[in-house]
């Protein structure tokens, strides 16, 4: 059972899924971004606490362990119990799972296990897929892996570009991710023990 219902959302970009969560009145305690982005502005405008942990300040190549340690410290000091990644583009180091095992969710724009990685929409188009979709899953040490909580198909239309297809997928993500979070908070969907 989810004991601590304080939710943090992690963003890097447009933040339209975060926006949908806020519109659906998902109680969000904190938004963390790894770069300046619209997602941060959305959170601030909604009066949600924001923290920017710039990945650019953690070296090139990224010192993933140091970045992850800072993020975990940020989450822990604010009493966060559940983390929802929504377009967060930094891969975290496995150390986060010693604190947040089974407590980090992610949304991915494909029908996992198909098209993992950050080019999921391009790859589905390039493969000539007739349908793709989105998947919300529990994050694990393996990228775009872990138990699937929700998945929905999206058709690929003949003249789709990456943008049109991704927007069709995101429209679905904006519907199912807030609903899933609310179901988890209400106890209707149980996450595995932490
Ligand atoms: C979503 O498609 C998500 O699956 C992917 O990044 C996109 C985030 O969109 N990882 P937005 O920033 O919420 O608009």
């Amino acid at each position: 059972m989810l004991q601590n219902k304080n939710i943090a959302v992690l963003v890097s970009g447009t933040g339209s899924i975060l926006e949908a969560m806020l519109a659906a009145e998902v109680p969000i305690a904190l938004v963390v971004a790894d770069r300046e982005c619209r997602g941060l502005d959305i959170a601030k405008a909604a009066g949600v606490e924001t923290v920017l942990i710039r990945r650019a300040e953690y070296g090139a190549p990224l010192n993933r362990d140091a970045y992850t340690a800072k993020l975990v410290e940020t989450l822990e000091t604010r009493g966060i119990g559940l983390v929802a990644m929504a377009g967060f583009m930094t891969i975290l180091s496995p150390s986060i799972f010693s604190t947040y095992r089974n407590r980090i969710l992610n949304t991915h724009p494909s029908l996992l296990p198909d098209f993992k990685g950050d080019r999921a929409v391009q790859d589905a188009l390039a493969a000539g897929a007739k349908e793709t979709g989105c998947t919300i899953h529990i994050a694990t040490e393996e990228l775009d892996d872990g138990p699937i909580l929700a998945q929905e198909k999206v058709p690929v239309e003949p003249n789709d570009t990456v943008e049109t297809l991704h927007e069709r997928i995101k429209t679905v993500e904006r519907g199912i991710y807030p609903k899933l979070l609310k179901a988890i908070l209400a106890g209707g969907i149980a996450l595995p023990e932490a």
Side-chain angles (χ1 to χ4, degrees), residues 1-2 102-103 138 149 183-185 187-193:
M1 219 189 87
L2 186 64
N102 293 327
R103 292 295 177 269
I138 297 174
L149 300 172
I184 290 170
L185 291 178
I189 292 179
L191 295 175
E193 285 309 308

Side-chain angles (χ1 to χ4, degrees), residues 124-194:
L125 267 184
K130 294 266 177 301
E131 63 179 16
T132 179
C134 59
T135 305
I136 301 170
H137 64 97
I138 297 174
T140 62
E141 286 85 344
E142 296 297 319
L143 185 66
D144 298 329
D145 206 283
I148 291 173
L149 300 172
Q151 198 164 48
E152 201 166 310
K153 290 177 182 167
V154 172
V156 179
E157 305 290 356
N159 294 321
D160 263 338
T161 61
V162 172
E163 289 70 31
T164 58
L165 179 55
H166 199 177
E167 187 53 31
R168 192 174 309 118
I169 295 169
K170 290 212 288 185
T171 302
V172 176
E173 291 181 283
R174 290 179 203 124
I176 64 177
Y177 207 173
K179 218 186 276 177
L180 179 77
L181 287 174
K182 288 176 114 172
I184 290 170
L185 291 178
I189 292 179
L191 295 175
E193 285 309 308

Side-chain angles (χ1 to χ4, degrees), residues 13-18 86-89 107-109 166 170 173-174:
T14 314
S16 67
I17 297 172
L18 167 66
F88 188 64
M89 297 305 288
T107 182
H108 183 76
H166 199 177
K170 290 212 288 185
E173 291 181 283
R174 290 179 203 124

Side-chain angles (χ1 to χ4, degrees), residues 115-129 162:
F115 309 119
K116 295 182 178 184
D118 62 3
R119 295 176 52 86
V121 182
Q122 287 95 317
D123 290 348
L125 267 184
V162 172

Side-chain angles (χ1 to χ4, degrees), residues 1-98:
M1 219 189 87
L2 186 64
Q3 305 287 354
N4 176 347
K5 299 183 176 181
N6 268 340
I7 299 183
V9 180
L10 311 187
V11 296
S12 301
T14 314
S16 67
I17 297 172
L18 167 66
E19 209 168 9
M21 290 171 180
L22 290 165
E25 296 182 346
V26 175
I28 297 170
L30 175 70
V31 169
V32 181
D34 61 355
R35 64 200 76 186
E36 294 284 357
C37 60
R38 181 176 173 272
L40 271 185
D41 302 335
I42 297 291
K44 284 179 195 157
V48 176
E49 186 188 359
T50 60
V51 176
L52 172 59
I53 310 174
R54 275 179 221 278
R55 68 174 276 166
E57 286 172 15
Y58 287 78
L62 174 68
N63 182 339
R64 222 169 279 289
D65 288 343
Y67 188 89
T68 303
K70 180 67 189 176
L71 175 62
V72 170
E73 179 205 296
T74 303
L75 298 171
E76 280 196 301
T77 54
R78 285 162 182 81
I80 295 300
L82 182 66
V83 179
M85 298 199 279
F88 188 64
M89 297 305 288
T90 295
I91 297 171
L92 299 169
S93 98
S95 62
I96 195 162
F97 297 109
S98 52

